[in-house]
Amino acid sequence: MAKKKAKKPGETNEFRAKKREKLRFLAEMEPKKMITYPLAVFIVALLLVAVHFPPLGIELRGGVVVTGYGISADPDQVEKWLGDQLGFSVNVESFTSVDGSKGIRVYTPANADPTQIIKALKQKYPDADYTHSEVLPTFGELAKRQGIRAIAFAFLAMAVVVFLFFRNPVSSLAIIFSALSDMIIAIALMGVFGIQLTTATIAALLMLIGYTVDSNILLTTKLTRRKEDTIEEAYLSAVSTGFTMSTTTLGALFMLWLISTSPTIDNIAIVLIFGLLADFMNTWVFNAGVLRWYLTTRGVKA
């Protein structure tokens, strides 16, 4: 077995130097612009959330789910046909099981009769197997409250830990705002693309808090406890590492979204992708702008 040729130290340093040069335009931006642009995006995202909140999934609003196994069909066509048959609108999605078999899920309001839906489907797909489940609106409301409470407590716990770690209101508030902005932008994009807010996507938003804090702590630690001579060099060192972290994670999530046949996993992956793209702006532009402004006002060499 042939040994893999190891990279020489000079080649590694040259690669790092090239990557830093490509990211240098960020270090040369004025702190005022670095703060202003992400704030504008945050305000737009807030408006989008206010006027176009993501639709609630069946776990959060209640309803009936009918699953048909062994059906390979266009969900849009089934949705239109079934709506005409039943006299009310339904949502249909297709899925592929682990063993490769295909099927559809039909989502209806809570007051729908699942036997009526199955009867209608059997007219067109008599050989398919059917199951159904129902979530009462009261349980949906309870799940929604618990999800909101989980996000609120997670955010509060993160804020306390960050403040205790840095003991500096400016850097702590910048990290907390970055995490909040990541989440708001992800929710706004969910609304734009029609991705439902479900227990799974709430879990994705909770995971987003953890990733956001990691990248922001890396940046804040590098700039406030730096070993480099200048803020610019410390920032380039941090953003170079952070860029690698973000791109590798985004690549893994993109492959997960591409390969997965589960709508639930797809939604988790896409929400995390939205959040990580927002995090690149909020951490490496907004938070970096705040910290550069703060440090230069304290007389640190830029």
Side-chain angles (χ1 to χ4, degrees), residues 24-85:
R24 186 170 291 279
F25 75 98
L26 289 171
E28 292 173 351
M29 283 180 71
E30 294 177 18
K32 188 177 178 181
K33 290 182 179 177
M34 296 176 80
I35 297 171
T36 305
Y37 295 157
L39 274 177
V41 175
F42 173 71
I43 292 170
V44 172
L46 266 182
L47 293 174
L48 282 173
V49 170
V51 300
H52 202 275
F53 195 79
L56 298 181
I58 200 165
E59 306 100 317
L60 303 183
R61 61 181 162 83
V64 174
V65 184
V66 173
T67 306
Y69 299 94
I71 300 175
S72 178
D74 184 344
D76 293 334
Q77 292 181 1
V78 177
E79 188 173 296
K80 185 175 184 308
W81 174 82
L82 196 57
D84 294 338
Q85 294 291 316

Side-chain angles (χ1 to χ4, degrees), residues 267-287:
N267 287 342
I268 291 174
I270 202 70
V271 169
L272 286 172
I273 289 172
F274 288 157
L276 292 184
L277 290 174
D279 182 61
F280 192 87
M281 175 187 70
N282 286 317
T283 299
W284 306 109
V285 180
F286 173 78
N287 194 3

Side-chain angles (χ1 to χ4, degrees), residues 186-257:
I187 293 172
L189 290 174
M190 286 170 63
V192 170
F193 289 97
I195 298 173
Q196 292 184 342
L197 186 67
T198 62
T199 50
T201 49
I202 287 176
L205 292 172
L206 287 170
M207 285 188 271
L208 194 58
I209 295 175
Y211 188 89
T212 301
V213 172
D214 285 350
S215 57
N216 276 283
I217 285 177
L218 169 68
L219 172 70
T220 307
T221 305
K222 274 280 188 182
L223 263 63
T224 57
R225 303 174 186 180
R226 67 195 176 283
K227 296 177 182 176
E228 293 80 358
D229 291 335
T230 63
I231 297 173
E232 182 176 320
E233 286 303 314
Y235 172 69
L236 282 173
S237 174
V239 74
S240 178
T241 306
F243 186 78
T244 304
M245 288 167 53
S246 298
T247 49
T248 52
T249 309
L250 282 170
L253 288 171
F254 178 73
M255 291 307 296
L256 177 66
W257 173 78

Side-chain angles (χ1 to χ4, degrees), residues 108-138:
T108 70
N111 55 358
D113 182 1
T115 58
Q116 184 187 3
I117 301 166
I118 294 173
K119 187 177 176 182
L121 285 170
K122 279 186 175 178
Q123 295 176 25
K124 196 165 187 175
Y125 308 103
D127 297 329
D129 296 322
Y130 297 97
T131 61
H132 68 85
S133 59
E134 185 173 2
V135 179
L136 295 174
T138 49

